[in-house]
Amino acid sequence: MAVEEKGIPYELVATKLNYYYTAIKNEWKNVEDIHDEVQKELDLMEENQDVLLYFSLLEFRHQLMLEYKYPKSARGVTEKAEDIEERYRALAEAGRINSLLEYYYNFFTGMFHFKQGELTEALSFYRVAEKYLDQVEGDNIEIEKAEFYFKLSEVYYHMKQTYFSMNYAKRAYRIFCAAPRTPEGKPTYVERKIQCQFVISGNWLDSLRSKEALEHAKNALRDAQELDGTEKNAEHLQRKALFNLGICYNQMEELDVAVQYFLKSLEIPNADEEYMS
């Protein structure tokens, strides 16, 4: 019976994969259910190695997200990275890698190396991915660009390449701010906007521009405090925003104010889940 049912058009499954990727990026609560639905459809899909690699890449991205959020329980990311590279090489040697797969392979592999602390390797993969960014299609291409710019801003920040980090963080921030609201009128991508402000503020601090850093730190705190209490990472973001304000005032040598913000930061319980972007 299973053999007779085999043959779901791969175009339909590819559309579902795009939905799965959206769920990963937005950390939807039902992302695991969506993954399982896609897996079932893949089992019934007519064979297409491009779609199978795309699914493997998205699973890799999913695992990276889980490792960022649950570092103690996440396993198998390194093994998945090795499997992805093997699949990618096989298709590349056969001349069957399209622009979309090139982009996602290099983008996600760059994220993996960044998580490993291998900044030069991460940047090398990001630079290759950037060559294919404009060729990625879809309704959310601007948000995809913003995600990519934000990741670049992170690696440049850790490399202390202030100008490049600031440039990419601002580009990402503008796109996230322009994103349409939900049907209920709520702003979207608030967490990403806060994280962009963190990067911008940090770059200003590295440039010894305390007042500019303080402005962005205040904006980040304002946005973090407006997060719904049920939002994931709300407490973490508020805690970090308060701590960043303390750093700003410390650099400005307003030590009493700095201590107040550090203490306010400590009043927010440290989440059991270690969060990273």
Side-chain angles (χ1 to χ4, degrees), residues 239-256:
R239 180 186 176 97
K240 186 172 181 179
L242 288 165
F243 188 81
N244 287 347
L245 278 166
I247 294 175
C248 292
Y249 281 110
N250 182 66
Q251 189 178 85
M252 296 169 70
E253 298 187 356
E254 296 185 33
L255 303 185
D256 290 341

Side-chain angles (χ1 to χ4, degrees), residues 69-86:
K69 292 177 66 59
Y70 313 109
K72 295 181 180 179
S73 60
R75 289 185 291 272
V77 176
T78 300
E79 291 79 4
K80 189 66 175 178
E82 294 171 352
D83 176 63
I84 289 294
E85 182 176 1
E86 184 177 339

Side-chain angles (χ1 to χ4, degrees), residues 152-202:
L152 265 180
S153 76
E154 281 188 313
V155 72
Y156 277 124
Y157 173 72
H158 284 276
M159 297 178 78
K160 299 305 176 185
Q161 297 289 323
T162 303
Y163 172 80
F164 293 109
S165 178
M166 185 82 80
N167 178 49
Y168 281 111
K170 287 183 175 180
R171 290 168 72 178
Y173 183 70
R174 285 195 293 269
I175 295 174
F176 286 129
C177 285
R181 291 175 173 262
T182 67
E184 297 76 25
K186 294 179 62 176
T188 53
Y189 301 101
V190 178
E191 291 185 26
R192 274 292 185 250
K193 286 185 277 191
I194 294 169
Q195 290 159 349
C196 287
Q197 295 274 30
F198 286 161
V199 174
I200 295 169
S201 179

Side-chain angles (χ1 to χ4, degrees), residues 38-51:
V38 174
Q39 181 69 74
K40 290 177 181 177
E41 292 187 7
L42 280 169
D43 293 339
L44 299 174
M45 183 189 74
E46 59 190 32
E47 185 175 350
N48 184 289
Q49 292 300 317
D50 291 359
V51 174

Side-chain angles (χ1 to χ4, degrees), residues 80-249:
K80 189 66 175 178
E82 294 171 352
D83 176 63
I84 289 294
E85 182 176 1
E86 184 177 339
R87 289 169 176 262
Y88 169 82
R89 296 299 175 195
L91 284 178
E93 290 173 4
R96 295 183 55 189
I97 294 292
N98 59 37
S99 298
L100 182 71
L101 294 177
E102 284 282 10
Y103 169 72
Y104 287 131
Y105 168 74
N106 285 284
F107 185 25
F108 299 162
T109 304
M111 290 173 61
F112 169 73
H113 286 291
F114 177 76
K115 179 64 173 64
Q116 301 297 108
E118 299 164 354
L119 302 182
T120 302
E121 283 291 312
L123 184 58
S124 295
F125 281 99
Y126 284 160
R127 283 174 171 168
V128 175
E130 191 169 20
K131 296 177 182 178
Y132 298 94
L133 182 58
D134 286 335
Q135 299 180 46
V136 177
E137 300 177 351
D139 296 335
N140 296 317
I141 180 58
E142 287 303 309
I143 295 301
E144 183 64 31
K145 287 182 178 180
E147 285 282 335
F148 181 76
Y149 295 152
F150 172 68
K151 291 299 181 182
L152 265 180
S153 76
E154 281 188 313
V155 72
Y156 277 124
Y157 173 72
H158 284 276
M159 297 178 78
K160 299 305 176 185
Q161 297 289 323
T162 303
Y163 172 80
F164 293 109
S165 178
M166 185 82 80
N167 178 49
Y168 281 111
K170 287 183 175 180
R171 290 168 72 178
Y173 183 70
R174 285 195 293 269
I175 295 174
F176 286 129
C177 285
R181 291 175 173 262
T182 67
E184 297 76 25
K186 294 179 62 176
T188 53
Y189 301 101
V190 178
E191 291 185 26
R192 274 292 185 250
K193 286 185 277 191
I194 294 169
Q195 290 159 349
C196 287
Q197 295 274 30
F198 286 161
V199 174
I200 295 169
S201 179
N203 278 300
W204 281 127
L205 284 172
D206 287 346
S207 303
L208 302 180
R209 301 278 292 274
S210 306
K211 291 184 178 179
E212 288 87 346
L214 181 64
E215 177 185 351
H216 289 282
K218 286 181 176 179
N219 289 341
L221 177 61
R222 179 202 63 210
D223 290 343
Q225 290 175 333
E226 290 179 358
L227 281 172
D228 189 318
T230 62
E231 293 279 352
K232 296 179 180 179
N233 312 313
E235 289 187 344
H236 168 85
L237 293 170
Q238 292 169 17
R239 180 186 176 97
K240 186 172 181 179
L242 288 165
F243 188 81
N244 287 347
L245 278 166
I247 294 175
C248 292
Y249 281 110

